Amino acid sequence: MAKGNQKRAGGRPRTRSLLGLYRPIDGVVDEMVDASGKPRPAWRSFIEALDELGAETLGQRFTRADQYLRDAGVYYRVYDKAGANEREWPLAHVPLLIDEKEWAEISAGLVQRADLFEAILADLYGPNRLIEKGILPAGLIAASPEYLRPVVGVRPASGHFLHMVAFELGRGPDGRWWVLGDRTQAPSGAGFALENRVATTRALSDIYGELHVHRLAGFFRRFRDALNGMAKDSGGRVAILTPGPLNETYYEHAYIARYLGIMLLEGEDLTVSGGRLMVRTVSGLMPIGVLWRRLDAAFADPLELRPDSQIGTPGLVEAIRRGTISAVNALGSGLMETRALLSFLPRIARELQREELKLPSIATWWCGQEIERDHVLANIDRLVVGPALSTRLAFEDDGATQLGSALSAGERAALIARIEADGAGFVGQEAVTLSTTPVFVGGVLEPRPASLRVYLARTQEGWTVMPGGFARVGFSLDPTAIAMQRGGQAADVWVVSDRPVERETLLPQETDGFTRTMPGSLPSRAAENLTWLGRYIERSEDTVRVLRAYHVRLAETSDPEMPLLADIRDYLEPFGIEVEPAIPLGLISTLDSAVYSAGQIRDRFSPDGWLALKDLSKTIHQFAETVAPGDDATRAMTVMLRKLAGFSGLLHENMYRFTGWRFLEIGRRLERGIQIARTLARLTGNGAPDGALDMMLEIGDSVMTHRRQYPVQAGRRTVIDLLALDPLNPRSILFQLERLKAEIGMLPPVGGEGHMSPAAKEILQLNTAIAVMEPHDMTAKVLDKLANQIGDLYSSLAKGYFG
């Protein structure tokens, strides 16, 4: 091993090896090095490559990986005393490496376990032979809130209860992998695993390319094809059901939907009609054939499950009973996450599969049985004790699970009394000693406890295992610190081969057929949010233009009481815009509303668009703390205009001209028409103060155009002609009406083919009426009425498409 200042062949000084600085924890298995401190085979080339780069270069590369995650907007929602907060994704930059041969053994054990769980669910929701034979206690199953009686006896339409599962693994002191917990409800993290891979390979692309790492895309392609096959059989579409943007893993839901090309829906987007699950779209109700749910089953249907649920869809259980919808995973499958079931799995495996578990579970004793309860009480000092019906891992349980050796005499006595009084409510489990994996801290590698989450997906050929996964890594040596809600980190997992691996992608082969999705599958809620996004962005731009014109004049005169400035303050006040402070709260609120609307449709938003919008929000909040009125505010507003124009241009040039784009464009044109009409009415009225017409041209971004078009100074008629009636001026009211007529005319018909929608009729009448007007017809009263009429168009659109 190289030391100190020894030289390489090229004369470059060699620093001390990262491995030489690494100090494994005594008595704990380390993923990178064996008991003698030598790197394991899968790690040897990796460590050598890290040493070639050196700590300084590695730090720079890892910083770039973090920047990618920030630019991509990857976040995880954390819930604490302060409420729900978005936390930047905590990447542990050094991947966890596992040899291909060891991975094959893990995969075989997990496929066996997934098949076992499928058989158990089929029995518990069917003939109940496991309970009849006394292998499972009836009371334990009946007591579980995850055992859903409304779906007992219901055979899933797909023929399977489980389609996507995950298992949490930990390597014990004996070097074997143990199953710490099971995820059969709605496993999260697969999308984050993809982002971990992208970020890690951004930092270590050269090393990744040399180590023959198995790729992840094939796993997702096979699962996507399986979902599409199930949907084709049912004559419906595939959709992901999310609890919504406030969910801790909503980013992942949107990311997976975008990555696989699947609709992302919330409960309110769905309805049950004629026994079929339907999505409300701008073209009417359309059937859903496969619903990949990412919310807990109990919240899925307030009619038959939890009546307090506001994120489910009434009637969903009935649609499942009729076999018109396949749920991924089936309602009630979360039962297999119950902690107490771990104690029964070995016997069930022998009963149903005639074999032992290839991957054992963490040792578990259910205290509802006398022998097991006595064992827990006799060994309580070396066990962890927690709720029997919990579906969380011991280190995730926020105090509900207690380590016997850490209890005071009084706490220990109280726990024993509770177990003796209600043994069925408790399990005892072996205390977990997790293996460690290296993390990069301050230029060196340090060991941290880690667990491994592995994903399995059902395909037409059976279970496929993601070749890699998602490692949770502690920020300290405390094993409870690996939980994401407690500040844990996430690491990529590389399955390393000693020979080249297939370079799989999500792209189809040239010989594969394809279909193009036709317009009309846009959910109504998404259309509404796109419309409001367009409106909020345009409203922000108009406000910024008015404020810039105000502060330009304030800087020139230093007299806030001049009539024109006083008039502008009076004009803005009813809309919640105050000129002091220089960055009004009303403007900040409007941009925050734009971010909120975009956040509701993350699956339809490009990463570039989201980054540009978040940059807008960040900039306006920074300005609010530093900008002063006058020149300072003028410059700030100019910066905001450039960023608003950049965001709008990004959407206009990059967004596919699909139904969603039309609603976004309609929102922009509605708001621009309303704002121009209102401002014209104020600044061209009979009582408008001196300088109002010049300010109007400036706000309408038409100063240069006016000079070219009219060989006279600005007058009321020329300003109105240019900003109200010129069909070629993209800032004029008539231009907005022409665009609205075109885009509304391209929307899906309301009331059947051949029928003109109410909104289409209204815009046609309004456009015709304005097109024949002359400047002298456009009085302040007419302009105010026109602003209201344009606003009324939204109500007609909402009735036709957003209901």
PDB file of all heavy atoms in Angstrom, residues 664-685:
ATOM      1  N   LEU A 664     -52.783  25.096 -21.014  1.00  0.00           N
ATOM      2  CA  LEU A 664     -51.777  26.028 -20.520  1.00  0.00           C
ATOM      3  C   LEU A 664     -51.810  27.323 -21.326  1.00  0.00           C
ATOM      4  O   LEU A 664     -51.792  28.432 -20.762  1.00  0.00           O
ATOM      5  CB  LEU A 664     -50.390  25.385 -20.618  1.00  0.00           C
ATOM      6  CG  LEU A 664     -49.213  26.216 -20.134  1.00  0.00           C
ATOM      7  CD1 LEU A 664     -49.238  26.369 -18.622  1.00  0.00           C
ATOM      8  CD2 LEU A 664     -47.897  25.562 -20.564  1.00  0.00           C
ATOM      9  N   GLU A 665     -51.891  27.200 -22.647  1.00  0.00           N
ATOM     10  CA  GLU A 665     -51.936  28.370 -23.517  1.00  0.00           C
ATOM     11  C   GLU A 665     -53.222  29.164 -23.311  1.00  0.00           C
ATOM     12  O   GLU A 665     -53.218  30.401 -23.290  1.00  0.00           O
ATOM     13  CB  GLU A 665     -51.822  27.910 -24.979  1.00  0.00           C
ATOM     14  CG  GLU A 665     -51.848  29.020 -26.006  1.00  0.00           C
ATOM     15  CD  GLU A 665     -50.586  29.868 -26.036  1.00  0.00           C
ATOM     16  OE1 GLU A 665     -49.674  29.621 -25.217  1.00  0.00           O
ATOM     17  OE2 GLU A 665     -50.519  30.781 -26.877  1.00  0.00           O
ATOM     18  N   ILE A 666     -54.335  28.481 -23.138  1.00  0.00           N
ATOM     19  CA  ILE A 666     -55.599  29.163 -22.878  1.00  0.00           C
ATOM     20  C   ILE A 666     -55.506  29.969 -21.586  1.00  0.00           C
ATOM     21  O   ILE A 666     -55.962  31.125 -21.516  1.00  0.00           O
ATOM     22  CB  ILE A 666     -56.751  28.139 -22.804  1.00  0.00           C
ATOM     23  CG1 ILE A 666     -57.088  27.634 -24.220  1.00  0.00           C
ATOM     24  CG2 ILE A 666     -57.995  28.747 -22.156  1.00  0.00           C
ATOM     25  CD1 ILE A 666     -58.004  26.431 -24.237  1.00  0.00           C
ATOM     26  N   GLY A 667     -54.900  29.379 -20.552  1.00  0.00           N
ATOM     27  CA  GLY A 667     -54.730  30.120 -19.298  1.00  0.00           C
ATOM     28  C   GLY A 667     -53.918  31.382 -19.480  1.00  0.00           C
ATOM     29  O   GLY A 667     -54.269  32.447 -18.958  1.00  0.00           O
ATOM     30  N   ARG A 668     -52.828  31.289 -20.243  1.00  0.00           N
ATOM     31  CA  ARG A 668     -51.986  32.463 -20.494  1.00  0.00           C
ATOM     32  C   ARG A 668     -52.779  33.544 -21.224  1.00  0.00           C
ATOM     33  O   ARG A 668     -52.716  34.731 -20.879  1.00  0.00           O
ATOM     34  CB  ARG A 668     -50.771  32.070 -21.328  1.00  0.00           C
ATOM     35  CG  ARG A 668     -49.742  31.215 -20.617  1.00  0.00           C
ATOM     36  CD  ARG A 668     -48.588  30.883 -21.548  1.00  0.00           C
ATOM     37  NE  ARG A 668     -47.897  32.086 -21.980  1.00  0.00           N
ATOM     38  CZ  ARG A 668     -47.378  32.276 -23.191  1.00  0.00           C
ATOM     39  NH1 ARG A 668     -47.483  31.335 -24.114  1.00  0.00           N
ATOM     40  NH2 ARG A 668     -46.753  33.397 -23.485  1.00  0.00           N
ATOM     41  N   ARG A 669     -53.493  33.153 -22.275  1.00  0.00           N
ATOM     42  CA  ARG A 669     -54.215  34.132 -23.096  1.00  0.00           C
ATOM     43  C   ARG A 669     -55.385  34.751 -22.348  1.00  0.00           C
ATOM     44  O   ARG A 669     -55.676  35.950 -22.501  1.00  0.00           O
ATOM     45  CB  ARG A 669     -54.683  33.481 -24.396  1.00  0.00           C
ATOM     46  CG  ARG A 669     -53.550  32.927 -25.267  1.00  0.00           C
ATOM     47  CD  ARG A 669     -52.543  34.005 -25.617  1.00  0.00           C
ATOM     48  NE  ARG A 669     -51.372  33.465 -26.290  1.00  0.00           N
ATOM     49  CZ  ARG A 669     -50.328  34.181 -26.655  1.00  0.00           C
ATOM     50  NH1 ARG A 669     -50.279  35.479 -26.377  1.00  0.00           N
ATOM     51  NH2 ARG A 669     -49.299  33.629 -27.269  1.00  0.00           N
ATOM     52  N   LEU A 670     -56.073  33.953 -21.538  1.00  0.00           N
ATOM     53  CA  LEU A 670     -57.148  34.512 -20.715  1.00  0.00           C
ATOM     54  C   LEU A 670     -56.611  35.613 -19.809  1.00  0.00           C
ATOM     55  O   LEU A 670     -57.162  36.720 -19.756  1.00  0.00           O
ATOM     56  CB  LEU A 670     -57.779  33.416 -19.857  1.00  0.00           C
ATOM     57  CG  LEU A 670     -58.783  32.457 -20.497  1.00  0.00           C
ATOM     58  CD1 LEU A 670     -59.137  31.343 -19.529  1.00  0.00           C
ATOM     59  CD2 LEU A 670     -60.048  33.206 -20.923  1.00  0.00           C
ATOM     60  N   GLU A 671     -55.535  35.294 -19.105  1.00  0.00           N
ATOM     61  CA  GLU A 671     -55.018  36.243 -18.117  1.00  0.00           C
ATOM     62  C   GLU A 671     -54.437  37.481 -18.789  1.00  0.00           C
ATOM     63  O   GLU A 671     -54.633  38.603 -18.307  1.00  0.00           O
ATOM     64  CB  GLU A 671     -53.953  35.564 -17.260  1.00  0.00           C
ATOM     65  CG  GLU A 671     -53.601  36.322 -16.002  1.00  0.00           C
ATOM     66  CD  GLU A 671     -54.757  36.414 -15.023  1.00  0.00           C
ATOM     67  OE1 GLU A 671     -55.582  35.468 -14.978  1.00  0.00           O
ATOM     68  OE2 GLU A 671     -54.832  37.422 -14.294  1.00  0.00           O
ATOM     69  N   ARG A 672     -53.735  37.303 -19.910  1.00  0.00           N
ATOM     70  CA  ARG A 672     -53.170  38.464 -20.585  1.00  0.00           C
ATOM     71  C   ARG A 672     -54.279  39.375 -21.104  1.00  0.00           C
ATOM     72  O   ARG A 672     -54.191  40.610 -20.995  1.00  0.00           O
ATOM     73  CB  ARG A 672     -52.256  38.044 -21.740  1.00  0.00           C
ATOM     74  CG  ARG A 672     -51.559  39.240 -22.409  1.00  0.00           C
ATOM     75  CD  ARG A 672     -50.562  38.810 -23.458  1.00  0.00           C
ATOM     76  NE  ARG A 672     -49.408  38.130 -22.867  1.00  0.00           N
ATOM     77  CZ  ARG A 672     -48.347  37.742 -23.565  1.00  0.00           C
ATOM     78  NH1 ARG A 672     -48.286  37.955 -24.877  1.00  0.00           N
ATOM     79  NH2 ARG A 672     -47.337  37.144 -22.964  1.00  0.00           N
ATOM     80  N   GLY A 673     -55.327  38.795 -21.650  1.00  0.00           N
ATOM     81  CA  GLY A 673     -56.447  39.600 -22.132  1.00  0.00           C
ATOM     82  C   GLY A 673     -57.104  40.383 -21.005  1.00  0.00           C
ATOM     83  O   GLY A 673     -57.426  41.572 -21.152  1.00  0.00           O
ATOM     84  N   ILE A 674     -57.305  39.710 -19.861  1.00  0.00           N
ATOM     85  CA  ILE A 674     -57.926  40.372 -18.710  1.00  0.00           C
ATOM     86  C   ILE A 674     -57.056  41.522 -18.217  1.00  0.00           C
ATOM     87  O   ILE A 674     -57.543  42.647 -17.988  1.00  0.00           O
ATOM     88  CB  ILE A 674     -58.157  39.348 -17.576  1.00  0.00           C
ATOM     89  CG1 ILE A 674     -59.222  38.328 -17.979  1.00  0.00           C
ATOM     90  CG2 ILE A 674     -58.549  40.062 -16.282  1.00  0.00           C
ATOM     91  CD1 ILE A 674     -59.315  37.140 -17.035  1.00  0.00           C
ATOM     92  N   GLN A 675     -55.759  41.283 -18.060  1.00  0.00           N
ATOM     93  CA  GLN A 675     -54.870  42.292 -17.497  1.00  0.00           C
ATOM     94  C   GLN A 675     -54.706  43.494 -18.432  1.00  0.00           C
ATOM     95  O   GLN A 675     -54.717  44.645 -17.979  1.00  0.00           O
ATOM     96  CB  GLN A 675     -53.501  41.673 -17.187  1.00  0.00           C
ATOM     97  CG  GLN A 675     -53.525  40.545 -16.150  1.00  0.00           C
ATOM     98  CD  GLN A 675     -54.077  40.977 -14.810  1.00  0.00           C
ATOM     99  OE1 GLN A 675     -54.017  42.155 -14.433  1.00  0.00           O
ATOM    100  NE2 GLN A 675     -54.656  40.037 -14.085  1.00  0.00           N
ATOM    101  N   ILE A 676     -54.570  43.248 -19.735  1.00  0.00           N
ATOM    102  CA  ILE A 676     -54.434  44.360 -20.683  1.00  0.00           C
ATOM    103  C   ILE A 676     -55.701  45.199 -20.697  1.00  0.00           C
ATOM    104  O   ILE A 676     -55.653  46.448 -20.704  1.00  0.00           O
ATOM    105  CB  ILE A 676     -54.105  43.839 -22.091  1.00  0.00           C
ATOM    106  CG1 ILE A 676     -52.680  43.291 -22.139  1.00  0.00           C
ATOM    107  CG2 ILE A 676     -54.264  44.943 -23.137  1.00  0.00           C
ATOM    108  CD1 ILE A 676     -51.600  44.338 -21.980  1.00  0.00           C
ATOM    109  N   ALA A 677     -56.860  44.542 -20.684  1.00  0.00           N
ATOM    110  CA  ALA A 677     -58.132  45.287 -20.706  1.00  0.00           C
ATOM    111  C   ALA A 677     -58.276  46.151 -19.452  1.00  0.00           C
ATOM    112  O   ALA A 677     -58.669  47.324 -19.526  1.00  0.00           O
ATOM    113  CB  ALA A 677     -59.301  44.313 -20.840  1.00  0.00           C
ATOM    114  N   ARG A 678     -57.954  45.585 -18.303  1.00  0.00           N
ATOM    115  CA  ARG A 678     -58.086  46.342 -17.054  1.00  0.00           C
ATOM    116  C   ARG A 678     -57.130  47.534 -17.018  1.00  0.00           C
ATOM    117  O   ARG A 678     -57.507  48.640 -16.620  1.00  0.00           O
ATOM    118  CB  ARG A 678     -57.793  45.419 -15.872  1.00  0.00           C
ATOM    119  CG  ARG A 678     -58.925  44.478 -15.504  1.00  0.00           C
ATOM    120  CD  ARG A 678     -58.492  43.553 -14.391  1.00  0.00           C
ATOM    121  NE  ARG A 678     -59.574  42.690 -13.949  1.00  0.00           N
ATOM    122  CZ  ARG A 678     -59.403  41.621 -13.165  1.00  0.00           C
ATOM    123  NH1 ARG A 678     -58.177  41.315 -12.755  1.00  0.00           N
ATOM    124  NH2 ARG A 678     -60.420  40.887 -12.798  1.00  0.00           N
ATOM    125  N   THR A 679     -55.879  47.278 -17.420  1.00  0.00           N
ATOM    126  CA  THR A 679     -54.887  48.351 -17.348  1.00  0.00           C
ATOM    127  C   THR A 679     -55.204  49.447 -18.359  1.00  0.00           C
ATOM    128  O   THR A 679     -55.049  50.647 -18.073  1.00  0.00           O
ATOM    129  CB  THR A 679     -53.479  47.789 -17.592  1.00  0.00           C
ATOM    130  OG1 THR A 679     -53.303  46.598 -16.836  1.00  0.00           O
ATOM    131  CG2 THR A 679     -52.411  48.787 -17.163  1.00  0.00           C
ATOM    132  N   LEU A 680     -55.647  49.038 -19.547  1.00  0.00           N
ATOM    133  CA  LEU A 680     -56.059  50.031 -20.549  1.00  0.00           C
ATOM    134  C   LEU A 680     -57.196  50.889 -20.031  1.00  0.00           C
ATOM    135  O   LEU A 680     -57.208  52.116 -20.210  1.00  0.00           O
ATOM    136  CB  LEU A 680     -56.484  49.332 -21.840  1.00  0.00           C
ATOM    137  CG  LEU A 680     -55.431  49.082 -22.917  1.00  0.00           C
ATOM    138  CD1 LEU A 680     -56.034  48.264 -24.046  1.00  0.00           C
ATOM    139  CD2 LEU A 680     -54.869  50.399 -23.455  1.00  0.00           C
ATOM    140  N   ALA A 681     -58.173  50.248 -19.410  1.00  0.00           N
ATOM    141  CA  ALA A 681     -59.316  51.000 -18.892  1.00  0.00           C
ATOM    142  C   ALA A 681     -58.851  52.058 -17.887  1.00  0.00           C
ATOM    143  O   ALA A 681     -59.370  53.179 -17.859  1.00  0.00           O
ATOM    144  CB  ALA A 681     -60.317  50.049 -18.241  1.00  0.00           C
ATOM    145  N   ARG A 682     -57.840  51.722 -17.088  1.00  0.00           N
ATOM    146  CA  ARG A 682     -57.376  52.653 -16.057  1.00  0.00           C
ATOM    147  C   ARG A 682     -56.509  53.768 -16.647  1.00  0.00           C
ATOM    148  O   ARG A 682     -56.677  54.947 -16.311  1.00  0.00           O
ATOM    149  CB  ARG A 682     -56.564  51.864 -15.018  1.00  0.00           C
ATOM    150  CG  ARG A 682     -56.090  52.696 -13.852  1.00  0.00           C
ATOM    151  CD  ARG A 682     -57.248  53.009 -12.923  1.00  0.00           C
ATOM    152  NE  ARG A 682     -56.846  53.738 -11.749  1.00  0.00           N
ATOM    153  CZ  ARG A 682     -57.470  53.664 -10.584  1.00  0.00           C
ATOM    154  NH1 ARG A 682     -58.507  52.854 -10.459  1.00  0.00           N
ATOM    155  NH2 ARG A 682     -57.077  54.373  -9.556  1.00  0.00           N
ATOM    156  N   LEU A 683     -55.587  53.389 -17.539  1.00  0.00           N
ATOM    157  CA  LEU A 683     -54.592  54.365 -17.990  1.00  0.00           C
ATOM    158  C   LEU A 683     -54.980  55.111 -19.257  1.00  0.00           C
ATOM    159  O   LEU A 683     -54.241  55.998 -19.693  1.00  0.00           O
ATOM    160  CB  LEU A 683     -53.245  53.660 -18.198  1.00  0.00           C
ATOM    161  CG  LEU A 683     -52.593  53.077 -16.931  1.00  0.00           C
ATOM    162  CD1 LEU A 683     -51.264  52.422 -17.253  1.00  0.00           C
ATOM    163  CD2 LEU A 683     -52.406  54.153 -15.862  1.00  0.00           C
ATOM    164  N   THR A 684     -56.118  54.778 -19.849  1.00  0.00           N
ATOM    165  CA  THR A 684     -56.569  55.546 -21.024  1.00  0.00           C
ATOM    166  C   THR A 684     -57.904  56.231 -20.770  1.00  0.00           C
ATOM    167  O   THR A 684     -58.505  56.769 -21.696  1.00  0.00           O
ATOM    168  CB  THR A 684     -56.702  54.634 -22.264  1.00  0.00           C
ATOM    169  OG1 THR A 684     -57.730  53.660 -22.030  1.00  0.00           O
ATOM    170  CG2 THR A 684     -55.387  53.938 -22.581  1.00  0.00           C
ATOM    171  N   GLY A 685     -58.356  56.174 -19.517  1.00  0.00           N
ATOM    172  CA  GLY A 685     -59.636  56.817 -19.191  1.00  0.00           C
ATOM    173  C   GLY A 685     -59.526  58.332 -19.221  1.00  0.00           C
ATOM    174  O   GLY A 685     -58.434  58.909 -19.274  1.00  0.00           O
TER     175      GLY A 685
END
